[in-house]
Amino acid sequence: MNSKSKDIVFLVGAGASAEANIPVSAEMITKIENLLETRPDWAPFLSLYNHVKSAIYYSAGLRGQFNDKVSYNIEVLANTLYELARNEQHPIYPFVGTWNNRFTALAGPNFGQVEKFRELILNQLKDWVQPEKFKKAADYYNGFRRLQQALQFPLKIFSLNYDLCFERVVGDEEFRVETGFGREGEENSWEWRRFDEPIVESDRPEVYLYKLHGSINWKRDTAGNLFAVDHAGSNIPASEMQVIFGREFKLEAGDPYLFYAFEFRRSTLEARAVVVIGYGFGDDHINKMLSQAVRHDGNKRIVVVANIEEAKTKDKASEVATKLAVDASCITIVPGTAKSFLDRADLDLVVDSFLPEAPKVEF
């Protein structure tokens, strides 16, 4: 791959799609609670939800975490429901003397209500990440397109999102976003070799997109092959959705997830600057790889686009540095939203300024 393309790596989180009317994880909790209060099909799960939420907060309190320090969002909820639904299949089941009586009653026979509630949430996720007119709302993603055309080398973008902003907004026949699929449709399964540097220059894509946690439009066939389908996942059953939806399961020992994790590790180690947009540093796997990258090269920059005021950039840098266990001098905070950043007319110059000076080589 072009050596310049190794200098800059992008990491995109849920906050990057917020201005495209795609709610971030914490906002989805508010929407779930509203559905439980207003929709008849959700109402049977209200008591179960309240019990599980209370238990999550209780557990956090035992660790000395209270109020806004409790990590609670839709991914924590979905992961907890997944663990509970495993019931007798869970490895710690033989060590559980008895379940909470109230929970047992709410969970139903074989904890069937738990799995039904989780599937209801996952089905709703499809609507949340595919809002109406999102192409127009997400037009600012074309900032990546303009950036690549100015820099003239492939961009490597690692996404933690399930939505299709890149595929539907940025990519087209003249600007290829490589996702590992030849084209949408069941004839073309995912192939890791598509991320290799092509022999013919004309075959080189403009963007290499690595969707670390899966995609709303992925599905597998009976042989386990992965495909991207055109209907955007609307009719893929919740139980078959290829998204890693739960904090403790975001690193799977299988492709494409394992391949993407390896590529992220390698790319961040090689990069001189990692530009982070819309990520809240809540994923331990991602944080550890970023930390490793900085420790590998103390001159590396972690550039964070954060929706904060200019006066709070120093505090934000300290917060990020603490989460990554690195020195705050390695962190650069760019105040603003994803849209304001990607809409900049001088984006290429701004991105180029993030690169630290290359070490001088003495002869």
Side-chain angles (χ1 to χ4, degrees), residues 130 134-135 163-172 184 217 229-233:
Q130 299 175 95
F134 91 94
K135 288 186 180 181
D163 63 59
L164 301 174
C165 288
F166 265 99
E167 299 93 313
R168 296 290 190 264
V169 177
V170 182
D172 57 32
E184 292 180 345
N217 69 323
V229 296
D230 188 52
H231 55 66

Side-chain angles (χ1 to χ4, degrees), residues 30-320:
T30 301
K31 291 180 176 293
I32 284 177
E33 293 176 349
N34 181 62
L35 289 169
L36 288 166
E37 294 284 355
T38 60
R39 286 264 296 269
D41 54 332
W42 285 71
F45 303 99
L46 177 59
S47 295
L48 174 62
Y49 170 79
N50 289 337
H51 187 90
V52 171
K53 179 180 179 179
S54 298
I56 292 172
Y57 272 82
Y58 174 70
S59 176
L62 294 177
R63 300 191 300 271
Q65 299 172 350
F66 302 94
N67 302 320
D68 59 350
K69 292 185 178 180
V70 178
S71 179
Y72 181 67
N73 54 43
I74 194 170
E75 294 188 339
V76 172
L77 172 62
N79 183 59
T80 302
L81 293 173
Y82 173 82
E83 290 289 334
L84 292 171
R86 294 174 69 186
N87 197 4
E88 295 181 1
Q89 297 179 359
H90 201 291
I92 69 168
Y93 179 82
F95 302 95
V96 178
T98 181
W99 293 98
N100 178 286
N101 290 334
R102 177 169 170 75
F103 170 72
T104 303
L106 294 171
N110 298 316
F111 293 3
Q113 286 293 94
V114 176
E115 181 58 30
K116 288 180 181 179
F117 183 34
R118 182 174 179 274
E119 290 186 358
L120 193 64
I121 293 173
L122 291 179
N123 279 318
Q124 186 63 46
L125 176 70
K126 300 173 188 178
D127 292 334
W128 287 332
V129 301
Q130 299 175 95
E132 292 184 10
K133 301 179 181 179
F134 91 94
K135 288 186 180 181
K136 181 178 181 180
D139 183 67
Y140 60 91
Y141 264 83
N142 276 309
F144 286 110
R145 183 175 182 136
R146 294 189 296 273
L147 176 63
Q148 190 281 328
Q149 292 171 336
L151 297 178
Q152 286 297 295
F153 57 75
L155 301 182
K156 297 186 74 172
I157 300 175
F158 293 85
S159 175
L160 304 174
N161 300 339
Y162 318 116
D163 63 59
L164 301 174
C165 288
F166 265 99
E167 299 93 313
R168 296 290 190 264
V169 177
V170 182
D172 57 32
E173 293 182 359
E174 297 180 357
F175 191 92
R176 187 157 69 89
V177 176
E178 181 58 71
T179 60
F181 304 94
R183 69 176 186 274
E184 292 180 345
E186 298 190 14
E187 311 86 19
N188 296 275
S189 60
W190 181 87
E191 172 57 59
W192 66 269
R193 292 181 181 85
R194 296 187 65 86
F195 291 92
D196 283 348
E197 177 73 3
I199 297 176
V200 181
E201 180 69 15
S202 59
D203 291 339
R204 188 185 70 176
E206 281 69 35
V207 170
Y208 289 92
L209 177 63
Y210 305 81
K211 302 189 80 169
L212 291 159
H213 295 164
S215 182
I216 194 67
N217 69 323
W218 289 1
K219 73 172 186 177
R220 293 188 187 274
D221 62 13
T222 55
N225 299 306
L226 184 69
F227 298 93
V229 296
D230 188 52
H231 55 66
S234 60
N235 63 350
I236 298 177
S239 60
E240 299 177 16
M241 290 170 61
Q242 297 300 305
V243 296
I244 306 179
F245 202 54
R247 180 168 306 192
E248 302 304 321
F249 293 88
K250 287 187 174 178
L251 186 60
E252 288 196 353
D255 284 337
Y257 309 107
L258 190 61
F259 172 80
Y260 286 161
F262 173 80
E263 288 294 293
F264 181 70
R265 176 181 178 274
R266 182 174 69 175
S267 297
T268 52
L269 285 172
E270 293 177 340
R272 294 165 59 199
V274 180
V275 181
V276 180
I277 306 175
Y279 171 55
F281 296 89
D283 188 308
D284 287 340
H285 293 126
I286 297 297
N287 291 351
K288 287 177 181 177
M289 285 188 274
L290 290 174
S291 299
Q292 183 182 31
V294 173
R295 290 195 297 270
H296 174 75
D297 177 9
N299 200 39
K300 195 185 305 291
R301 309 297 305 173
I302 303 295
V303 182
V304 183
V305 178
N307 188 16
I308 60 172
E309 300 174 0
E310 179 76 37
K312 296 182 179 180
T313 56
K314 186 175 181 180
D315 290 340
K316 184 64 176 181
S318 178
E319 175 190 326
V320 173

Side-chain angles (χ1 to χ4, degrees), residues 8 10 147 151 341 346-355:
I8 301 174
F10 291 86
L147 176 63
L151 297 178
F341 177 73
D346 61 344
L347 183 59
D348 58 319
L349 300 177
V350 172
V351 169
D352 187 65
S353 72
F354 296 151
L355 293 175

